[in-house]
């Protein structure tokens, strides 16, 4: 079974600064990888996903993520953070050979943005 | 496209009553729907997986008699919390998958359940 870690529980950055949220996974093969964002009291919105191909993935709201097989990582980045980016971010891993039951979320990273 | 709705968005009930939460896929047919529970400031925990027309598969530790799941059609799944107690208070999120090979799930906005 796969697992996901997000080493940073809470990150605070200033508006306009760059951002990197870390995600590491454990899985025997290449998994499907996702980043979701959740605003307080809301559901999850998909930012981007990686299934195969180009390891640098572009998403919505100016986010990108890079899949690094050698490091088992899928870190999320944004060059310039906006105050509206303050939210909870979840990395998730899906096993390609198992439809649904093995979709695992990381513990989440809470992002705070200083004005 | 790929919109999933949940109803109600918030519900408050008395201890001992039952509460039904609906999850609908609005613009696609969801062969599989998932129910998650999220505790405050925690990640999502998968409760159960339901395939249209068959019984739900529950994760270890989830009481199937307490959390009744029905997936009667390709666009609707319901979660009924029976004889609710304060410890059942939580944020419940559903997701739906259209049966593609990519394992992508589309999430509903969540339902906040408060049991008094």
């Amino acid at each position: 079974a796969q697992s996901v870690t997000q080493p940073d529980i809470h990150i605070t950055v200033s508006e306009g600064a760059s951002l990197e949220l870390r995600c590491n996974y454990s899985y025997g093969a290449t998994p499907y990888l996702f980043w979701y964002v959740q605003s307080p009291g809301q559901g999850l919105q998909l930012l981007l996903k990686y299934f195969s191909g180009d390891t640098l993935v572009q998403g919505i709201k100016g986010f990108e993520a890079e899949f690094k097989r050698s490091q088992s990582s899928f870190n999320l980045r944004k060059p310039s953070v906006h105050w509206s980016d303050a939210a909870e971010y979840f990395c998730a891993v899906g096993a390609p050979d198992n439809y649904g039951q093995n979709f695992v979320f990381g513990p989440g990273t809470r992002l705070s943005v200083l004005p | 496209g790929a919109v999933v709705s949940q109803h109600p968005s918030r519900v408050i009930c008395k201890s001992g009553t039952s509460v039904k939460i609906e999850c609908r896929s609005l613009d696609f047919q969801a062969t599989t729907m998932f129910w998650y529970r999220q505790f405050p400031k925690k990640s999502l925990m998968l409760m159960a997986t339901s395939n249209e027309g068959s019984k739900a598969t529950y994760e270890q530790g989830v009481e199937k008699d307490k959390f009744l799941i029905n997936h009667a059609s390709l666009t609707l799944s319901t979660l009924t919390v029976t004889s609710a107690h304060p410890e059942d208070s939580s944020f419940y999120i559903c997701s739906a998958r259209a049966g593609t090979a990519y394992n992508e799930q589309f999430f509903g906005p969540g339902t906040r359940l408060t049991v008094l």
Side-chain angles (χ1 to χ4, degrees), chain A residues 32 34 36 38 41-44 46 49 51 90 94-95 98-101 103 105-107, chain B residues 34 36 38 42-44 46 49 91 93 97 100-105 107-110 112:
Chain A
Y32 297 150
F34 308 82
Y36 289 88
Q38 184 182 35
Q42 302 296 315
L44 276 70
L46 179 67
K49 58 183 184 267
F51 292 149
F90 293 98
N98 220 325
Y99 293 2
Q101 278 84 344
F103 195 90
F105 283 90
Chain B
F34 308 89
Y36 294 84
Q38 186 178 30
K42 297 292 184 182
S43 188
L44 282 75
L46 180 65
T49 302
F91 195 53
I93 301 177
R97 189 176 61 81
T100 69
Y102 291 112
N103 203 23
E104 182 174 357
Q105 299 178 28
F107 288 83
R112 172 74 59 194

Side-chain angles (χ1 to χ4, degrees), chain B residues 58-77:
Chain B
Y58 290 81
E59 295 299 301
Q60 193 172 7
V62 178
E63 299 175 60
K64 61 181 180 181
D65 294 330
K66 179 159 189 67
F67 298 100
L68 301 179
I69 292 172
N70 183 276
H71 191 165
S73 77
L74 286 171
T75 59
L76 173 64
S77 176

Side-chain angles (χ1 to χ4, degrees), chain B residues 26 28-29 39 41 52 54 63 79 97 99 103 114 116:
Chain B
L26 298 185
F28 68 101
Q29 293 187 324
F39 292 98
K41 298 185 179 181
E52 186 265 338
S54 60
E63 299 175 60
L79 167 67
R97 189 176 61 81
N103 203 23
T114 302
L116 303 176

Side-chain angles (χ1 to χ4, degrees), chain B residues 82-114:
Chain B
T82 62
S83 186
H85 288 93
E87 58 265 30
D88 299 324
S89 298
S90 194
F91 195 53
Y92 293 89
I93 301 177
C94 75
S95 70
R97 189 176 61 81
T100 69
Y102 291 112
N103 203 23
E104 182 174 357
Q105 299 178 28
F106 301 97
F107 288 83
T111 296
R112 172 74 59 194
L113 170 63
T114 302

